[in-house]
Amino acid sequence: ASAEQTYFGSVQRLNSTMELYEGQMGHMLDTLQDMEEKRALCLKDASMKLAVYETSWLRNTQYDLDSAVLSIEACNAAAELQEFIRQNRSQAQKPGRVVAKSYWELTPSTSDTAATAGGPTAERVATATQPQEPDPVEVRAQQLRPLLRGLLSPKAGAELEASGPTASAPSEPKLSDEELVELRRGLAGDGSSSPGATGYG
């Protein structure tokens, strides 16, 4: 009798365990199924959103490419360069042509040195109060012309050639020491001599 009671007790416990197993296993399977369904829905939503984003990016890229092509076609490099030159053109006056001058023209005279030392104001005052000075080149030419004419006259050259190699230089015309000094100063470009120093002109 005790063995039979033990057997029936074991069968009852087995049946209770199976019922508990079936009940808990059903909850677990439902939970797992729900998780799989939710995971599938998440993957589907993510895939759809990714497709939308990729499509939007492609549309934007195509729009940017079309706009870039239109901008490049409308670009005029020559006109833009001319516009840049016009806006940034210098207003300074172009330098003029430089004329070669003789050394005596480049040597400042005494009056020019004094005007430079006095400054711009003194130069304007001197220009306004004094008459215009003669051309220094013409003044120097007038000083040197009589001396050179007396030194290199055709008459003196003809006398020297007619006298032969042993003859002495002609006595006329003969320059004085003062005239020779004046001629040397004039050829050296010294601006300190005045038009009336030689007694000519």
Side-chain angles (χ1 to χ4, degrees), residues 96-102 105-106:
R97 295 174 59 86
V98 178
V99 181
K101 297 182 180 181
S102 303
E105 298 178 32
L106 300 176

Side-chain angles (χ1 to χ4, degrees), residues 78-91:
E80 293 180 0
L81 179 59
Q82 293 299 326
E83 180 66 17
F84 175 81
I85 295 174
R86 185 183 64 81
Q87 294 179 358
N88 298 275
R89 180 175 299 173
S90 176
Q91 302 298 329

Side-chain angles (χ1 to χ4, degrees), residues 4 20 30 53 70 76 114 136 138 161 167 182 188 194:
E4 184 178 2
L20 179 63
D30 292 339
Y53 293 153
L70 294 177
N76 190 343
E138 184 65 24
E161 183 178 358
E182 183 65 25
S194 59

Side-chain angles (χ1 to χ4, degrees), residues 25-38:
M25 185 59 68
H27 292 299
M28 292 180 62
L29 291 175
D30 292 339
T31 303
L32 291 174
Q33 182 178 353
D34 185 62
M35 291 177 59
E36 287 295 325
E37 291 177 355
K38 290 182 179 180

Side-chain angles (χ1 to χ4, degrees), residues 1-51:
S2 60
E4 184 178 2
Q5 290 179 357
T6 303
Y7 170 71
F8 285 118
S10 299
V11 171
Q12 186 178 3
R13 287 194 299 273
L14 177 61
N15 293 330
S16 299
T17 303
M18 292 299 297
E19 290 178 0
L20 179 63
Y21 170 77
E22 290 178 357
Q24 295 297 327
M25 185 59 68
H27 292 299
M28 292 180 62
L29 291 175
D30 292 339
T31 303
L32 291 174
Q33 182 178 353
D34 185 62
M35 291 177 59
E36 287 295 325
E37 291 177 355
K38 290 182 179 180
R39 185 175 68 85
L41 291 175
C42 289
L43 291 176
K44 179 180 179 181
D45 293 340
S47 300
M48 292 299 297
K49 291 180 179 180
L50 181 61

Side-chain angles (χ1 to χ4, degrees), residues 136-146:
V137 179
E138 184 65 24
V139 174
R140 187 61 56 85
Q142 292 179 2
Q143 295 175 3
L144 299 180
R145 189 179 294 111

